Amino acid sequence: MTNKKNKLFVFFFSLIPGAGEMYLGFYKTGASVMTLFLGGVALGASLFPPLFYLTPVVWFFSFFHTNNLNTMADEEFYALEDDYLFHMEPARLRRLVVIYRKPLACVMILMGLSVLWRHLWVAFNHVSKWFPIPHVLVSFLEYWVLSIPRLAAAFLIIWMGVKLIRQKKDSLDE
C-alpha cells in the first residue's frame, strides 16, 4: 500500500531520479526510472555520448512525477498501481533477452572493448612520453582511438534498427 509522505522529504528524495517514487511506495516505477537514468549516464559517459544528453529529461520526469504524485487527491493517489515504467514484467523482459541475446551480447562486448580500448590508449600515452613519437602521429591516433568505439556503437544501433524494421515488414507480410 502506497502512502503520501512529508512534502519536504518528498522534495529531497525527488532530487534523485527514482528515489522519490520509491519513497512514496512506487518501487517498480522508481526502480525503472533509476535504472533508466543510471543506464543513460553509464552508456553516455562510456560508449555513446549523445545518450548522455537524454538524462536530464529522465531527471525532470522523475522530479515532476514524484511531486505530482504527492500532490494528488487521496482517492486518485490510492487508486494508482505500481508498475514498471515501460510495463516490462520480469517474465517479458526475460523473453526479450532470449530473443535479442545476440544483439545484447554485441552491445556488452562493444562496451567492454570500448573500456579496454580507452585503458590501452592511456597506457600508450604514458609509453609515448618515454619514446619520441611525432605529435602529428599521436594526434591522428588519438582521434581514431576515441572515434572507433563510437563508430562501432553507431553501426550497431543502425544494424539493430534495420533488423527491427525488417522484422516488422516480415510480420506485416505474413
Side-chain angles (χ1 to χ4, degrees):
M1 179 78 158
T2 57
N3 294 320
K4 291 186 121 181
K5 304 287 183 170
N6 181 311
K7 288 184 181 188
L8 182 65
F9 285 142
V10 169
F11 173 76
F12 284 122
F13 279 116
S14 69
L15 295 174
I16 303 168
E21 285 91 345
M22 289 182 185
Y23 178 68
L24 290 173
F26 296 98
Y27 297 105
K28 292 178 182 178
T29 306
S32 299
V33 170
M34 195 173 283
T35 302
L36 188 63
F37 180 78
L38 295 176
V41 168
L43 289 175
S46 67
L47 187 62
F48 195 64
L51 192 61
F52 190 72
Y53 297 117
L54 293 177
T55 56
V57 174
V58 177
W59 186 89
F60 281 110
F61 168 79
S62 177
F63 179 81
F64 289 113
H65 183 249
T66 301
N67 288 297
N68 183 41
L69 286 174
N70 203 46
T71 57
M72 283 183 163
D74 288 342
E75 54 275 351
E76 285 181 65
F77 182 80
Y78 293 121
L80 289 175
E81 289 186 36
D82 188 18
D83 194 10
Y84 293 104
L85 198 57
F86 296 108
H87 309 292
M88 297 294 279
E89 293 298 322
R92 184 171 180 222
L93 190 60
R94 274 188 232 106
R95 252 185 288 126
L96 286 174
V97 168
V98 169
I99 293 170
Y100 296 106
R101 184 181 75 246
K102 287 181 183 177
L104 285 172
C106 289
V107 168
M108 293 173 73
I109 290 169
L110 186 64
M111 288 176 62
L113 287 173
S114 174
V115 171
L116 182 64
W117 189 260
R118 287 179 188 219
H119 282 288
L120 289 175
W121 177 250
V122 170
F124 174 76
N125 275 336
H126 288 300
V127 170
S128 69
K129 291 176 186 174
W130 299 332
F131 301 105
I133 299 174
H135 179 70
V136 174
L137 179 63
V138 171
S139 63
F140 176 78
L141 288 173
E142 182 178 16
Y143 172 77
W144 283 105
V145 162
L146 296 176
S147 296
I148 286 176
R150 293 178 186 157
L151 289 172
F155 283 121
L156 182 66
I157 290 169
I158 291 168
W159 175 75
M160 288 171 53
V162 168
K163 188 169 177 142
L164 287 172
I165 289 172
R166 283 188 183 159
Q167 285 179 348
K168 182 68 174 174
K169 185 180 180 285
D170 292 344
S171 67
L172 288 174
D173 290 342
E174 290 174 2

